[in-house]
């Protein structure tokens, strides 16, 4: 098991989800989001994920969460799994998700 897998980042699963049209939700603060982001990503701060859970489920697409390091996105993914979302992934940092998208 690689280090990223141990930390909860599923690189190949994230890549596959992105290939299939996953929505990228960045859970950083709006200020952080404005300083750099994945194109076409949506900003929903981690403390607003639960309040937006029905909206997220209603997107009917796989969801890849990202943040600055992977900690907040891990929390968001866990919250949405608890809300019944099946295809949810912790993409780690927004920059890592951006690199994956550029490699597709």
């Amino acid at each position: 098991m690689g280090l990223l897998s141990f930390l909860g980042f599923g690189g190949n699963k994230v890549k596959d989800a992105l290939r299939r049209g996953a929505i990228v939700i960045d859970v950083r603060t709006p200020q952080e989001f404005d300083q750099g982001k994945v194109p076409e990503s949506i900003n929903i701060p981690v403390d607003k994920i639960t309040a937006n859970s029905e909206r997220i489920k209603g997107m009917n697409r796989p969801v890849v969460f990202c943040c600055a390091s992977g900690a907040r996105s891990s929390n968001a993914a866990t919250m949405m799994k608890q809300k019944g979302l099946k295809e949810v992934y912790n993409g780690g940092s927004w920059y890592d998700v951006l690199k994956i998208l550029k490699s597709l």
Side-chain angles (χ1 to χ4, degrees):
M1 178 184 297
L3 178 60
L4 292 179
S5 296
F6 176 74
L7 293 174
F9 308 127
N12 289 333
K13 290 181 181 182
V14 169
K15 187 179 239 184
D16 180 59
L18 291 168
R19 278 191 184 123
R20 293 182 291 111
I23 189 79
V24 177
I25 299 178
D26 190 317
V27 298
R28 296 176 296 156
T29 66
Q31 295 80 14
E32 290 173 293
F33 186 72
D34 289 343
Q35 292 177 1
K37 59 187 163 259
V38 173
E40 300 182 34
S41 61
I42 297 171
N43 181 226
I44 304 175
V46 70
D47 62 340
K48 307 284 186 209
I49 291 297
T50 301
N52 284 277
S53 62
E54 291 304 315
R55 173 183 168 208
I56 295 167
K57 288 195 295 189
M59 293 175 181
N60 294 320
R61 291 166 57 186
V63 175
V64 173
F65 288 106
C66 64
C67 63
S69 66
R72 288 176 282 182
S73 55
S74 176
N75 289 340
T78 298
M79 285 186 246
M80 287 308 300
K81 285 178 185 174
Q82 290 172 346
K83 294 285 184 181
L85 189 63
K86 301 284 186 225
E87 271 204 275
V88 58
Y89 305 95
N90 176 10
S93 79
W94 71 271
Y95 192 71
D96 288 340
V97 173
L98 182 62
K99 286 191 294 188
I100 292 170
L101 280 170
K102 286 181 176 184
S103 75
L104 297 180

